[in-house]
Amino acid sequence: MTVILETQGLVKRFAGLTATDNVSFTLEEGHIHALIGPNGAGKSTLIHQLCGNLLPSEGRILFAGQDVTRLAPAARVALGLGRTFQVTSLLGEFTVRQNMAVAVQARLGGNLRIFDRMTGRREVWEETDELLGKSPLGKRADIIVDDLSQGERKQLELLVSLAGRPKVLLLDEPMAGLGHAESLDMIEVLKGLRGTVTILLVEHDMDAVFALADRISVLVYGRIIMTGSAEEIAGSADVREAYLGNEDELC
Ligand code: ADP
Ligand code: MG
């Protein structure tokens, strides 16, 4: 097993509050690793430090063996540490296929926003269609993004992140706001990524977590109280107590 992402003694303090409290955590290459915990446990704060939107107060972040603790977000993306959902923005008045092409083009270099110049670049469109072909969205390639359902938009945001060919994807609640059927679609899309990209998945939807995760870590008051398989987490008295103590559901 290879560790691709690791934190060592990570601490993030906001005025009077320790949102990340000495978190040492490893992500194995190829895994889908879920991070769960009650509201306010510090899940998003941890993700923001991993992608570089927030600098830690203490500790280190290692990505593929390199210390990235103080690197800017764009430099981390360039190394293959993919951004979360919330950072991605889509071009609403363009088609699914055009949005994908912009993302592919961004990785290959060259003009970002000028479609006219881009139409000549065959490799951009080939890779765009290959990525779309593997997704249920392939059937919706010529639809304008503003006309997509919420679930389809989320799928496109995910595909756009993949266009950067990340080694690791950090996903902060990709099912948020989706209906039941849309969540099931998203679970299928994420399942299809297994083996091609390592994923750290923050998610409230426990059906999704149990369907997808190879490992689960439980964060409570900024600390990881347990890491284990789905069975170990579901059967843990400590985890149950932590959630009951918060009068919150297992999420
Ligand atoms: P989660 O994603 O697990 O719900 P967050 O990481 O969003 O939790 O928040 C963890 C704690 O840190 C919460 O108490 C939240 O209010 C606090 N917090 C998050 N961001 C900030 C910030 N920028 N400034 C001050 N406090 C913050
Ligand atoms: Mg959050």
Side-chain angles (χ1 to χ4, degrees), residues 14 17 19 37-46:
F14 296 117
L17 174 88
N39 271 332
K43 304 180 296 295
S44 293
T45 301
L46 183 58

Side-chain angles (χ1 to χ4, degrees), residues 36-39 204-206 239-240 242-244 246-251:
I36 64 171
N39 271 332
H204 273 272
D205 179 337
M206 287 309 292
V239 171
R240 220 165 275 277
Y243 275 91
L244 289 175
N246 282 277
E247 292 183 7
D248 204 338
E249 296 172 31
L250 198 60
C251 64

Side-chain angles (χ1 to χ4, degrees), residues 36 45 57 61 63 70 72 76 79 89 96 98 107 109 111 117 120 124 145 159 170 204 206 213 230 243 246 249:
I36 64 171
T45 301
S57 310
I61 302 167
F63 175 62
R70 311 247 139 216
R76 297 183 202 209
L79 289 175
S89 60
V96 167
Q98 285 171 325
R107 198 194 77 247
N111 287 292
R117 299 247 180 102
V124 171
V145 165
L159 279 185
L170 307 168
H204 273 272
M206 287 309 292
Y243 275 91
N246 282 277
E249 296 172 31

Side-chain angles (χ1 to χ4, degrees), residues 25-73:
F25 157 88
T26 56
L27 180 63
E28 301 273 3
E29 188 160 32
H31 270 183
I32 298 180
H33 192 135
L35 183 64
I36 64 171
N39 271 332
K43 304 180 296 295
S44 293
T45 301
L46 183 58
I47 293 279
H48 284 312
Q49 290 168 89
L50 294 174
C51 70
N53 292 339
L54 279 176
L55 286 180
S57 310
E58 289 173 29
R60 297 208 304 162
I61 302 167
L62 303 175
F63 175 62
Q66 183 177 342
D67 190 328
V68 299
T69 314
R70 311 247 139 216
L71 275 191

